[in-house]
Amino acid sequence: MSIFEVRHLSKRFGDLEVLKDISMTIEPGEIVSIIGPSGSGKSTFLRCATLLETMEHGTMKYQGNVVCEERPGHGAVYAPGRTLKKMRAFFGLVFQNFNLFPHWTVLKNIIDAPISVQGRPKEEVLAAAKALLKRMGLESKADAYPCQLSGGQQQRVSIARALISKPQIIFFDEPTSALDPELTSEILKVIKDLAAAHMTMVIVTHEIEFARHVSDRVIFMADGVIVEQGPPEEVIGNPKHPRTQAFLRKLSHADN
Amino acid sequence: MKWSRLSLILIRGFNVIGLLVAGYLFTKLMISSIDWEWLSSILIQLLKGFGLTVAIFGFTLLFSMPLGMALCNVRMSRLKILSWPAKLYISIMRGTPLMLQILIIFFGPYYVFQFFNLDISLSDAYRFPAVIIAFSLNYAAYFAEIYRAGIESIPIGQYEAANVLGYSRLQTFFKIILPQVIKRTLPPVTNEIITLTKDTSLAYAVACAEMFTIAKQLAASQSSMAPFVAAAVFYYIFNFVVAYVMERCERKLNYYQ
């Protein structure tokens, strides 16, 4: 069964239709990159998927569990709050700006939600957090505050914070856009390690080369629709749609 | 860092000493020679009033700070039917003199009773509660606006991260938002608290026997400025302590940005 499934998603902000009839399924272990110009609706799509925004139309499921369902005349009807709360444990979201809680230590940032939201035993969570910190190379930073860390370290903490809830899928919203090139590679390495461990991931990114290397599938979005999708060597290596070609050409010009 | 702190303490210290010296000289000017027995009797009477001053101060903070938080939540409600009355309330409380509000709270019930032909007279015991009610209602309005500024300054990303992690709205507010709001609003809250210390003197409007009321009575009966000077010294020392404590609190919360 697919981990994530969305059908005929549409979303508008006032008169502006940001997402138009988006459908997508993500299979277990799959790594999908979403690329596209600013304002193409990539981030809004991620925000709909992670319940930060509600969509007007469409059906969305996590592992077959209905988050919202299209009903004729009503649009997308969401499941009751209790169900949604449970659903939040299915996914994790890594933000562009990390959004760590500044008044808590690194360790507290990671362990608080599993303990006080999911009600997991403290000892088990602590052990898991220590293992995650080790995996992220941050063992020595457990008692530091976010403001004492570099951007790359903060982003690694926020990835650990997402991982500790044992999500079935993790969404990354431009995880390196707030970082300089050196720190970017630090985060990309973490994501590659997760890929090697078969974590299911959806990554919105501007790092085209990275998307080419890490993903099983690349989705190109523009103006609220999925223009083209497929294996990276096709979408990035040999794009068929003129819109994709124009976008990639502009990027390579910007690089030179 | 150390030097600036030291100089700050020194400047504060000199301020106190300066005020004491000024008070002493002033007193000396007012009367030909200092009658220590007379002075100590004044101080003792003022100290009795000072107890009431501190009580007004303490009770007002105790009631107005949580009340301000509740008011702030109503004020920030998306429902116009809730936010609009809160806005009006804050506007009136901030837009009219506190002394007037004290008078209305104290004398208002009398006119209400009279309107309903009830033969109830105001007891002396109502003076203090009336002052506390008026102060709390007034300061709640100011605190509500301070809290609102603090809450609105928290980045939206904090709410979103909490939302994705599954925190409930109450958990988000109390665990994540409020601690950051407290840190951010500490300087304006300190301002408000210091103003409150001095505002307690307004209670003399309804002859509540706090320090300023007593100082005024003593000044009149003794034909001397000394009670006022002594009261000024008491107010200053009290605020000096308040400022010091709040500074310590601020420094304690400086462990993060």
Side-chain angles (χ1 to χ4, degrees):
Chain A
M1 188 188 300
S2 47
I3 284 193
F4 173 75
E5 181 184 351
V6 65
R7 304 241 155 267
H8 309 300
L9 189 175
S10 73
K11 165 80 189 167
R12 52 170 64 246
F13 291 122
D15 286 338
L16 185 72
E17 203 170 10
V18 196
L19 294 170
K20 304 163 194 164
D21 196 21
I22 302 276
S23 294
M24 186 187 297
T25 51
I26 311 287
E27 300 304 326
E30 201 180 13
I31 295 153
V32 177
S33 293
I34 304 179
I35 59 171
S38 304
S40 59
K42 310 176 302 254
S43 284
T44 308
F45 170 74
L46 234 53
R47 293 170 63 82
C48 285
T50 52
L51 304 176
L52 286 175
E53 300 277 358
T54 50
M55 50 208 210
E56 267 84 51
H57 291 285
T59 297
M60 188 161 80
K61 292 174 187 169
Y62 278 101
Q63 279 186 330
N65 300 286
V66 175
V67 172
C68 67
E69 206 164 19
E70 176 72 14
R71 294 214 188 117
H74 292 278
V77 179
Y78 277 78
R82 263 183 162 192
T83 317
L84 294 184
K85 192 181 171 181
K86 259 186 235 156
M87 230 59 109
R88 285 199 167 87
F90 274 101
F91 60 81
L93 173 63
V94 174
F95 295 88
Q96 182 178 344
N97 302 317
F98 332 130
N99 291 337
L100 295 174
F101 304 127
H103 56 306
W104 287 349
T105 62
V106 164
L107 188 66
K108 173 101 168 153
N109 261 283
I110 296 172
I111 64 171
D112 193 77
I115 294 171
S116 64
V117 175
Q118 300 177 322
R120 281 158 62 185
K122 195 175 175 188
E123 287 71 33
E124 179 254 327
V125 175
L126 264 176
K130 289 213 171 108
L132 272 171
L133 281 172
K134 195 171 177 191
R135 193 166 156 196
M136 297 288 152
L138 292 168
E139 295 145 289
S140 59
K141 301 290 183 189
D143 296 323
Y145 287 91
C147 63
Q148 297 166 320
L149 305 180
S150 74
Q153 289 169 331
Q154 289 190 47
Q155 191 59 299
R156 277 184 276 156
V157 174
S158 88
I159 293 173
R161 181 175 71 173
L163 283 173
I164 196 154
S165 304
K166 297 173 187 153
Q168 303 297 308
I169 178 170
I170 296 194
F171 297 93
F172 291 85
D173 188 7
E174 301 189 22
T176 60
S177 290
L179 303 173
D180 62 41
E182 202 176 337
L183 299 177
T184 295
S185 64
E186 195 177 301
I187 295 308
L188 297 185
K189 190 184 168 298
V190 171
I191 297 176
K192 272 183 201 155
D193 291 347
L194 289 175
H198 305 291
M199 185 77 216
T200 311
M201 293 185 281
V202 175
I203 308 160
V204 167
T205 185
H206 289 298
E207 302 283 332
I208 301 297
E209 275 316 300
F210 173 73
R212 189 210 288 265
H213 285 127
V214 80
S215 19
D216 302 311
R217 175 157 55 116
V218 173
I219 295 176
F220 174 71
M221 274 179 79
D223 305 320
V225 294
I226 294 177
V227 175
E228 189 171 348
Q229 61 175 312
E233 50 273 19
E234 276 177 33
V235 177
I236 295 173
N238 184 23
K240 291 189 185 60
H241 200 283
R243 191 78 182 75
T244 320
Q245 291 166 356
F247 173 71
L248 291 170
R249 205 164 40 237
K250 251 184 226 159
L251 273 191
S252 61
H253 279 310
D255 280 348
N256 294 335
Chain B
M1 171 71 188
K2 270 228 167 117
W3 276 112
S4 66
R5 250 170 68 190
L6 188 65
S7 59
L8 205 71
I9 291 167
L10 281 177
I11 289 168
R12 287 259 169 86
F14 284 138
N15 276 348
V16 179
I17 293 166
L19 210 69
L20 285 168
V21 170
Y24 172 80
L25 290 176
F26 204 62
T27 316
K28 205 159 189 187
L29 271 176
M30 289 297 118
I31 52 168
S32 46
S33 67
I34 296 175
D35 180 343
W36 289 105
E37 216 166 291
W38 174 79
L39 190 63
S40 64
S41 87
I42 284 177
L43 289 180
I44 286 165
Q45 290 186 69
L46 283 179
L47 266 176
K48 276 182 194 156
F50 187 65
L52 207 55
T53 295
V54 173
I56 295 172
F57 175 85
F59 278 118
T60 300
L61 285 185
L62 186 70
F63 296 130
S64 66
M65 291 184 95
L67 193 63
M69 186 50 82
L71 185 60
C72 166
N73 273 303
V74 180
R75 164 78 178 78
M76 290 180 79
S77 166
R78 272 185 220 153
L79 297 172
K80 280 240 164 72
I81 198 162
L82 289 177
S83 73
W84 200 82
K87 225 169 144 177
L88 182 71
Y89 173 84
I90 291 169
S91 165
I92 291 172
M93 285 323 236
R94 294 203 303 182
T96 57
L98 175 52
M99 192 192 282
L100 207 83
Q101 294 164 12
I102 298 170
L103 290 173
I104 287 173
I105 301 278
F106 182 64
F107 291 112
Y110 171 77
Y111 291 101
V112 174
F113 295 149
Q114 211 173 38
F115 182 81
F116 291 107
N117 283 322
L118 293 166
D119 190 26
I120 300 171
S121 55
L122 291 172
S123 106
D124 256 3
Y126 180 53
R127 288 179 201 284
F128 181 68
V131 166
I132 298 296
I133 293 170
F135 270 88
S136 300
L137 292 178
N138 178 277
Y139 270 77
Y142 285 93
F143 281 129
E145 286 298 278
I146 291 175
Y147 296 148
R148 185 170 68 91
I151 289 173
E152 284 177 354
S153 76
I154 304 295
I156 188 93
Q158 294 287 303
Y159 292 93
E160 293 182 345
N163 185 316
V164 167
L165 291 169
Y167 288 102
S168 70
R169 285 182 65 170
L170 274 181
Q171 280 177 320
T172 303
F173 184 73
F174 284 106
K175 298 189 80 156
I176 293 156
I177 304 302
L178 190 58
Q180 298 184 58
V181 168
I182 288 173
K183 178 184 160 75
R184 287 181 190 215
T185 54
L186 217 48
V189 164
T190 303
N191 252 341
E192 230 26 66
I193 294 179
I194 285 175
T195 307
L196 172 62
T197 309
K198 294 172 289 178
D199 273 357
T200 55
S201 60
L202 289 174
Y204 96 92
V206 291
C208 180
E210 48 68 59
M211 186 165 63
F212 187 77
T213 310
I214 289 178
K216 205 163 174 291
Q217 286 164 359
L218 283 172
S221 66
Q222 312 278 322
S223 312
S224 163
M225 282 292 282
F228 281 138
V229 176
V233 173
F234 277 127
Y235 281 119
Y236 186 82
I237 291 174
F238 187 71
N239 264 339
F240 183 83
V241 173
V242 168
Y244 177 75
V245 170
M246 295 307 281
E247 215 179 290
R248 286 294 293 265
C249 291
E250 263 182 62
R251 222 177 300 151
K252 226 174 181 170
L253 288 177
N254 258 348
Y255 67 88
Y256 73 93
Q257 280 162 4

